[in-house]
Amino acid sequence: MKTEDIEAILEKYSISRGGLISILQGIQSKYGYLPEKSLNIVSEKTGRSLVDIYGVATFYKSFRLKPRGKHLISVCLGTACHVRGGPVIAEEFERQLEIKAGETTPDKEFTLQAVNCLGACALGPIVVVDGHYFSNVNTTKVKQIINKAREGLDKVEIKTDERIFPVEVSCPRCNHTLMDPFNLIDGYPSIRVTTSFGRKHGWLRLSCLYGSYNTEVEYEISEDTVRNFFCPHCHAELIGVTNCPNCDAPMVSMIVRGGGMIQICSRRGCKEHKLDLNGINF
Amino acid sequence: MITLNINGANVSVEKGTTILEALRFIGFPIPTLCFVEGLTPYGACRLCVVEIGEGSSSKLVSSCTYPVEEGLKVRTASKRVIKTRKMIIELLLASCPQSKTIQDLASQYGVHQQRFKQEYEDCILCGLCVRMCEEQMMAKAIGFYGRGENRKIGTPFGIPSEVCRLCGGCMYICPACQLRCTFNQPEKAICGACANLSPPCLDKEQFDDMMCYMDPCVACEIKKD
Ligand code: FES
Ligand code: FES
């Protein structure tokens, strides 16, 4: 945590009384929780006493003073789920994860929380893991849910998900195909491009399935860094005209065989992508 | 000047006074717990209830926070007020049965039984200490945190506050605890003097002649020598 980062957040919001919640939200969205030191800095810079800030931070449920685990498990203990056995489910989670509700496992994998009504009472007891709803949960399902969460619920089922289809792309400048038939990803030929980041150059293979995020790289780079993408044949940079609506990094564009353009975000970890088939936007 | 009617008698008081001040000025006894002169009224304990208005539109308000209004009808000892006040004392007694202040109130107002589950809390959240710390001692070292059932009073993060100068004002004013001593956990105690014989205010030179409620205090004894 850096003092400058907090200062940048402070600058964005007004220091008046009403600005405090926005400031805390800003800090939380950056770190995932409110580090003790950050509150001290906020108090120093805004001139408000630490007690007040601490009071606000502990008053609202959405502020956390402790770091959250990678996966958030919310067990509903609202009225409907309660009568359908929510407390038993919560207990089972507590037993299996060996933590109490509101705590995080020591390996920072799971945070368990009890919530009051998630708005799906008819399907109760409800458990929500990283935004995925599990309905009619019983104690035997608890183990499965934990395992699924460990594997990552954001992984797309390539075989069954119909939003996924293969595309064939080529370089917008030299029109050479970028497909690599010898290296398969997800069982399909991969898209091969050259990437550079700083001084490092290397190949990057993307899955050609639209909607799948599987990649292979020569050099691992850390999340969040922006890379440049080049055509391996003519070495022109594959740069689009727009910036990513999510993270503002430049978009990388490639031609889709059969007409149209595909754009992907150049930031590692950002999943923004766009497909434009002859003007039809997907 | 504003004229209001208290228990049938018309009285005039300055604009901006609260009902409680008006009542005390004339001499009606009103019990209070969370009201102390010199601190802003907070309206937490509700002991100072009075009934205002007439007939079906009458209602109970806390007199310490209610400013007087022209023609206001106030009743301080109606059946409803007395019943409510007794109930409030009973509830306070349930949460802090060991507090002398509350016990006194109970016997004074004829509360002889207590029908709720005993809690043995050491705080009734009247906020006196918070206001004392902020308004009189200019420190703001303690405050409320959490909410609902989990609302508590303490220092941020539960660690000794940097702005606390150990004046003891919070313990002095607390109606629920008579000097809450936690010497067996010296790191949590405010002074911890008895356990470690080196009260932490000794090295805070700048507070030399600040007001302090600690009496007797080991630090002062050491300083004297
Ligand atoms: S009570 Fe659980 S979803 Fe409504
Ligand atoms: S004295 Fe009025 S509410 Fe406590």
Side-chain angles (χ1 to χ4, degrees), chain B residues 137-153:
Chain B
M137 309 317 281
M138 311 294 162
K140 269 206 158 194
I142 51 174
F144 288 104
Y145 65 89
R147 73 158 147 182
E149 253 198 320
N150 301 320
R151 196 158 165 85
K152 297 224 167 56
I153 287 177

Side-chain angles (χ1 to χ4, degrees), chain A residues 75-82 115-126 133:
Chain A
V75 183
C76 180
L77 292 182
T79 317
C81 293
H82 196 280
V115 292
N116 296 323
C117 194
L118 291 155
C121 310
L123 301 171
I126 293 276
Y133 281 67

Side-chain angles (χ1 to χ4, degrees), chain A residues 167-228:
Chain A
V167 285
E168 257 189 82
V169 293
S170 55
C171 166
R173 201 175 98 169
C174 63
N175 215 2
H176 251 90
T177 177
L178 298 173
M179 304 313 288
D180 183 347
F182 305 109
N183 292 294
L184 304 185
I185 297 184
D186 295 336
Y188 286 90
S190 56
I191 301 169
R192 189 190 136 123
V193 289
T194 319
T195 60
S196 79
F197 163 67
R199 287 237 173 122
K200 278 203 171 138
H201 292 276
W203 52 257
L204 167 78
R205 293 200 198 98
L206 307 160
S207 166
C208 73
L209 293 181
Y210 186 77
S212 158
Y213 305 108
N214 295 336
T215 54
E216 282 171 12
V217 280
E218 191 173 4
Y219 298 111
E220 262 307 330
I221 58 164
S222 61
E223 286 283 304
D224 269 2
T225 37
V226 178
R227 305 154 288 185
N228 295 347

Side-chain angles (χ1 to χ4, degrees), chain B residues 1 3 17 29 31 52 66 77 109 119 121 131 134 149 162 166 171 183 192 216 222:
Chain B
M1 290 303 249
T3 312
T17 46
I52 58 166
Y66 204 94
Y109 286 86
E119 298 269 356
E121 301 278 347
R131 280 173 286 152
E134 177 182 352
E149 253 198 320
E162 272 171 34
L166 312 149
M171 294 189 288
F183 77 93
I222 295 175

Side-chain angles (χ1 to χ4, degrees), chain A residues 125-147:
Chain A
I126 293 276
V127 172
V128 175
V129 184
D130 298 338
H132 294 255
Y133 281 67
F134 293 89
S135 56
N136 294 317
V137 179
N138 50 34
T139 40
T140 44
K141 277 199 198 163
V142 167
K143 181 108 228 166
Q144 290 170 21
I145 293 176
I146 294 177
N147 285 342

